[in-house]
Amino acid sequence: MLIDNHNRVINYLRLAVTDRCNLRCNYCMPAEGIDFAARDHLLSMAELKRLSKLLVEEGIDKIRITGGEPFARKDLMSLLRFLAGLETLKDISITTNATLIGPYIEELKLLGIRNINLSLDAITRERFKNITRRDQFDLVYENLIRLITEGFNVRVNCIVLDGQNIEEIYELLELTRHYPVSVRFLEEMPFNGGSRTFNKIQWDFRRILKHIQVKYPSIQKLESEPTSTSINYSIPGHEGTFGLIPSFSRTFCGSCNRLRVSATGDIITCLYGKPRANVRDLMRLEPEDDAVKQTFRAAIGNRSKTGFEEQEKYKNVFKNSMTSIGG
Ligand code: SAM
Ligand code: SF4
């Protein structure tokens, strides 16, 4: 079992499989993209499988595949098939922009992968296009409805962006009226690769909640799992639910059970810090799994207690783009 220096069990891996993406969300990266990693700096398929297997042996029982856009990686299904065969891995989930997922929906079902987080910051075509800088709304919406009706457990993630999508909050909540979907509103974080100026948070979770209560005064708070990052609510009469994720306010650090590995093999123990080590070169040199496991144990044994504490240790963390970190 992986336990950090603050006695938190680390059982959840967020694994980025690429830093590439076919969208250019303006809160994530600049229009021209970022300095994407050279291809041979990305973890190979064999490395992704090895890494996942040894971390599952160490006690990871939940893996979320992220990126960049995971489905931009052509060999993604090979990894998912491999993960589906790992006996003690209880939960495989994917975070995606849902532009490229269509051809894979049937096989995801067969593999038993049911948990999909779908990023959607606007449900009107024009706003979607302005935010993502790509005209792909119809495709995303079609895949969203397909995933829901095919029985996937879909969570829609919307980043609340001042001046860009506040009107979309009520529109997105309407999705929960007839669909068993969870719509989650996330605070914006300053990881946009220099795309936007981020001076201070404009819409924190309290302000988002107040805004929602204006239209839906009788919302009810729901019980959430102790490691949940979202505060969840239901709206009477609605089939789905909604949640607020204080990703910038960081109210959930005390129960953080997460470990991140970037597409280039960086071990990230907190979103608000810098990588603690890199496993790509180590894996390329080291045939013994135990040496790789030891590197993870050392990183996990030296975590900051909170994202605020971590942020204090480093300069320039806010220059990163989320497409390199994985969200
Ligand atoms: N491309 C996939 C997607 O968009 O779902 C997966 C990778 S994306 C980096 C993972 C998550 O990070 C998405 O939900 C995205 O909205 C979120 N994200 C990206 N930049 C962010 C930022 N600056 N603040 C908060 N969330 C961000
Ligand atoms: Fe791509 Fe996801 Fe970043 Fe949007 S948030 S640019 S879809 S990686």
Side-chain angles (χ1 to χ4, degrees), residues 38-315:
R39 232 160 247 287
D40 65 342
H41 285 190
L42 297 177
L43 294 173
S44 69
M45 184 46 56
E47 287 160 353
L48 286 167
K49 289 178 182 172
R50 179 179 173 201
L51 180 73
S52 308
K53 182 167 174 288
L54 60 85
L55 282 171
V56 168
E57 285 166 6
E58 286 291 276
I60 293 290
D61 62 13
K62 170 175 177 172
I63 298 184
R64 173 171 297 284
I65 301 297
T66 177
E69 173 47 38
F71 289 95
R73 186 153 178 160
K74 300 276 185 305
D75 52 4
L76 177 68
M77 292 311 290
S78 170
L79 176 64
L80 296 178
R81 284 178 211 123
F82 175 82
L83 295 180
L86 295 178
E87 222 169 89
T88 56
L89 182 59
K90 291 193 227 140
D91 182 356
I92 306 165
S93 47
I94 306 173
T95 299
T96 175
N97 64 31
T99 51
L100 306 170
I101 197 172
Y104 306 105
I105 290 178
E106 278 311 311
E107 191 177 356
L108 292 175
K109 258 170 96 171
L110 291 175
L111 291 174
I113 297 173
R114 316 296 291 194
N115 296 329
I116 306 287
N117 282 11
L118 189 153
S119 303
L120 182 65
D121 309 302
I123 202 151
T124 35
R125 191 175 296 111
E126 213 41 41
R127 283 206 188 97
F128 178 94
K129 189 173 156 192
N130 288 339
I131 294 171
T132 64
R133 303 186 178 108
R134 296 290 185 272
D135 194 5
Q136 301 260 13
F137 174 75
D138 292 343
L139 185 57
V140 171
Y141 191 71
E142 185 189 315
N143 284 332
L144 166 65
I145 301 304
R146 220 182 122 196
L147 286 163
I148 297 172
T149 47
E150 300 242 8
F152 285 82
N153 170 26
V154 181
R155 301 194 297 192
V156 171
N157 283 348
C158 166
I159 313 299
V160 177
L161 303 161
D162 194 45
Q164 292 200 75
N165 65 353
I166 304 310
E167 297 82 349
E168 301 289 317
I169 294 176
Y170 294 158
E171 300 291 328
L172 281 163
L173 281 170
E174 279 306 302
L175 272 180
T176 68
R177 190 181 288 278
H178 299 298
Y179 291 117
V181 66
S182 165
V183 176
R184 289 120 48 95
F185 299 98
L186 286 84
E187 293 176 351
E188 184 182 6
M189 292 182 270
F191 306 119
N192 57 43
S195 171
R196 288 155 56 77
T197 311
F198 184 105
N199 290 327
K200 76 189 225 323
I201 182 100
Q202 300 290 341
W203 284 82
D204 70 2
F205 69 104
R206 293 184 186 86
R207 186 173 177 201
I208 302 169
L209 181 62
K210 272 196 196 128
H211 179 72
I212 291 173
Q213 281 170 321
V214 172
K215 178 156 182 202
Y216 302 99
S218 48
I219 57 169
Q220 285 158 6
K221 198 165 175 190
L222 300 169
E223 284 290 315
S224 300
E225 283 181 25
T227 54
S228 171
T229 53
S230 60
I231 312 161
N232 301 305
Y233 300 86
S234 65
I235 302 176
H238 284 218
E239 209 169 317
T241 58
F242 78 91
L244 306 173
I245 305 192
S247 25
F248 187 76
S249 304
R250 285 161 268 178
T251 53
F252 44 65
C253 294
S255 58
C256 180
N257 62 345
R258 297 158 174 231
L259 169 69
R260 291 178 167 83
V261 176
S262 78
T264 54
D266 282 338
I267 300 177
I268 301 167
T269 58
C270 175
L271 257 184
Y272 286 86
K274 294 233 164 134
R276 287 299 165 88
N278 183 285
V279 281
R280 180 198 56 222
D281 298 335
L282 179 67
M283 283 198 292
R284 287 179 189 178
L285 285 173
E286 184 53 75
E288 295 295 327
D289 283 351
D290 214 49
V292 182
K293 287 180 177 174
Q294 195 43 49
T295 301
F296 277 105
R297 286 186 209 127
I300 287 168
N302 186 24
R303 293 180 81 212
S304 298
K305 197 163 187 187
T306 67
F308 295 103
E309 187 184 312
E310 180 82 353
Q311 186 184 325
E312 289 301 305
K313 291 184 186 161
Y314 300 99
K315 281 197 180 124

